[in-house]
Amino acid sequence: MAAPGTALPPATARRERTGWYFYDWANSAFSTTVLTVFLGPFLTTTAEIAAGCPLGTDDCTGRVHPFGLTIAAGSFYPYVVSLSVLLTVFVLPVMGAVADRAPRKKPLLAGAAFLGAGATVAMVFVTGDRYLLGGLLFLIANIAFGAAVVVYNSFLPQLAGPDERDKVSSRGWALGYLGGGLLLAANLVAVVLLSVDGDDQRTMDIARFCIVSAGLWWAVFTLIPLRWLREHPATGATGNTRGNVLTDGFKQLGHTLRTLRAYPLTLFFLLAYLIYNDGIQTVIALAAQFGSEELDLTQSTLIVTILIVQFLAFGGALALGALATRIGARKTVLLSLALWLVVIAAAYWLPAGKPLPFMLLGAGIGIVLGGSQALSRSLFSQLIPDGKEGEYYGFYEISDKGTSWLGPLLFGLIFQLTDSYRLGIISLVVFFVVGGILLALVPIRRAITAAGNTPPTLI
């Protein structure tokens, strides 16, 4: 087999990369239909029912009591998002260490993906006031989602050389947004055709089955990368050890944690990424809740806006990927973070009950969303020591694809104290400012060389 990043026969390379792209197509249904649109309002409404608020009640101030704790019903979903990330801190780096040492990665990808998809499909049983069941299934699905992406991302250095990774990563993100957008469009048709004005229970049922559809989409299209991706032999230090993969994975993770100081610049970049991506993921995870609870927008308006985000993100990821070939990936990411600040400031001032301004804001998000994420992924791939892709992407994934925790926690706490979603959204400015400053301070070329890799022509 070819070594990581080396040239493969054109047909083989094209087929394998296409298979890799299709996992973004598969799992983006969860990001879009579940995380971004339906689950926040659905689980919040379920918690409000459990708090004693009749279905359809506006401005519910009731409390729920999970495991003896007393929390605002409106804070339940942000807190569950935060808890899921706290748990991923322990799960994802171990998953990455196991992936680096496993002779075959595809079974790991299959196991995590099908577990997450199964938990998503099981949301069909979240009816009435079963908010705890919904929260538990979300925890399983979100952690499995992250674990699968760790394995998926670890293929990137083996599919493309240093000068191709920005392009390959951007294409994966772009196809993901397209796939997620197509399923969401189908769900929009279902909402429009099947909803009945004044029948809130019917609306909840439709939302539940839309969530289930994302789990089915995720499972079915995962079969394509499992078919077309090739198994690559372990490289570097992790490729020379024999023994139990799981126990060796824990041992290797411990060794990596002890030797992280050998790559301080990689860790500096990772810190910057964890901070600014925390802001990005909080916007993605809580946008629907903000739109429905604070701006009093309908479910149809939220879905149309997310569709705008999805399809513009498809073009935005490709456009920012092309821009990175001219000015470098880091400068392009910094530009996108400046645009994120504009988005957050505009969100604070959005008028309630006005769909058009919210949709225009969605257009702005779409332009910068895909590129900022895709280029961060490819830039980080340059900073990983050979043979440790899974481990390092495990740390990376802790704050990726809707699994950040500081942002949702801050958002939930501010709502708990002020009952204001606007103050919650504006608080996210700090993540983009601090993360952007830290990213600007990272000497990227020196960091790539220190990791033992060859820098691309432009950074």
Side-chain angles (χ1 to χ4, degrees):
M1 293 186 181
T6 60
L8 294 168
T12 302
R14 189 162 52 248
R15 178 184 175 90
E16 186 171 15
R17 288 178 181 178
T18 300
W20 188 78
Y21 299 152
F22 259 97
Y23 188 70
D24 248 323
W25 171 284
N27 73 3
S28 288
F30 180 80
S31 296
T32 305
T33 290
V34 178
L35 285 178
T36 308
V37 177
F38 286 103
L39 188 62
F42 175 78
L43 205 52
T44 298
T45 300
T46 304
E48 289 174 349
I49 294 172
C53 299
L55 190 61
T57 301
D58 293 328
D59 301 322
C60 174
T61 58
R63 298 294 191 262
V64 290
H65 308 279
F67 307 109
L69 302 174
T70 299
I71 64 173
S75 294
F76 177 70
Y77 178 63
Y79 286 164
V80 172
V81 172
S82 295
L83 178 59
S84 74
V85 178
L86 183 61
L87 295 175
T88 64
V89 169
F90 302 99
V91 174
L92 300 193
V94 173
M95 183 66 165
V98 171
D100 284 337
R101 307 181 79 80
R104 299 176 63 217
K105 290 184 180 181
K106 290 199 292 184
L108 295 175
L109 178 63
F114 291 140
L115 175 62
T120 306
V121 171
M123 286 282 184
V124 71
F125 300 111
V126 180
T127 57
D129 61 355
R130 297 177 179 175
Y131 74 101
L132 279 179
L133 175 61
L136 176 62
L137 289 173
F138 168 70
L139 287 176
I140 295 171
N142 209 28
I143 293 170
F145 177 90
V149 172
V150 168
V151 182
Y152 164 72
N153 282 342
S154 71
F155 279 95
L156 177 58
Q158 299 166 327
L159 297 177
D163 290 313
E164 294 182 294
R165 288 182 199 165
D166 291 340
K167 178 182 68 175
V168 170
S169 183
S170 295
R171 287 180 176 176
W173 278 105
L175 191 64
Y177 280 115
L178 182 60
L182 289 175
L183 178 63
L184 189 58
N187 285 328
L188 173 61
V189 172
V191 169
V192 171
L193 294 180
L194 301 178
S195 294
V196 175
D197 289 341
D199 191 342
D200 296 313
Q201 183 58 58
R202 187 179 181 88
T203 300
M204 285 286 287
D205 291 339
I206 294 170
R208 185 170 66 255
F209 282 102
C210 287
I211 291 170
V212 170
S213 75
L216 294 173
W217 177 287
W218 184 2
V220 170
F221 284 106
T222 294
L223 297 174
I224 297 177
L226 293 178
R227 175 70 175 172
W228 289 355
L229 280 172
R230 298 161 59 247
E231 295 288 3
H232 294 263
T235 60
T238 59
N240 300 322
T241 301
R242 297 292 183 268
N244 183 279
V245 170
L246 181 59
T247 57
D248 281 352
F250 275 100
K251 292 177 182 178
Q252 181 60 34
L253 175 62
H255 179 265
T256 297
L257 289 173
R258 291 191 299 271
T259 58
L260 279 175
R261 61 181 181 272
Y263 306 102
L265 297 180
T266 298
L267 292 180
F268 196 7
F269 173 87
L270 186 59
L271 175 62
Y273 171 77
L274 292 178
I275 292 174
Y276 70 72
N277 191 60
D278 215 321
I280 294 173
Q281 297 306 323
T282 304
V283 174
I284 294 172
L286 302 178
Q289 186 178 6
F290 178 76
S292 63
E293 302 294 326
E294 179 67 30
L295 302 181
D296 297 321
L297 299 175
T298 65
Q299 189 81 70
S300 296
T301 297
L302 297 177
I303 297 176
V304 169
T305 303
I306 300 304
L307 281 173
I308 292 171
V309 172
Q310 290 295 119
F311 291 117
L312 284 180
F314 169 73
L318 295 178
L320 290 183
L323 180 61
T325 64
R326 295 178 175 272
I327 67 173
R330 193 211 355 218
K331 290 180 182 176
T332 307
V333 173
L334 289 172
L335 175 62
S336 74
L337 295 181
L339 295 175
W340 272 110
L341 288 175
V342 175
V343 166
I344 294 300
Y348 178 80
W349 297 103
L350 285 180
K354 302 287 186 180
L356 183 58
F358 189 72
M359 292 179 183
L360 291 174
L361 185 72
I365 292 175
I367 292 172
V368 299
L369 178 60
S372 58
Q373 294 177 312
L375 295 174
S376 294
R377 176 172 66 182
S378 60
L379 196 55
F380 184 65
S381 74
Q382 313 277 4
L383 308 178
I384 301 174
D386 185 29
K388 296 187 177 183
E389 293 83 6
E391 288 179 63
Y392 277 73
Y393 270 119
F395 293 112
Y396 179 90
E397 184 61 20
I398 286 172
S399 187
D400 198 14
K401 288 202 180 259
T403 57
S404 44
W405 65 279
L406 283 174
L409 179 61
L410 179 61
F411 190 98
L413 287 173
I414 288 179
F415 178 80
Q416 177 104 9
L417 296 173
T418 67
D419 288 329
S420 172
Y421 287 103
R422 292 183 188 272
L423 291 178
I425 205 73
I426 199 65
S427 70
L428 302 179
V429 164
V430 66
F431 294 97
F432 295 100
V433 171
V434 174
I437 291 173
L438 292 178
L439 177 60
L441 294 176
V442 179
I444 294 292
R445 190 173 296 276
R446 183 150 55 93
I448 295 172
T449 303
N453 300 321
T454 302
T457 305
L458 278 175
I459 298 175

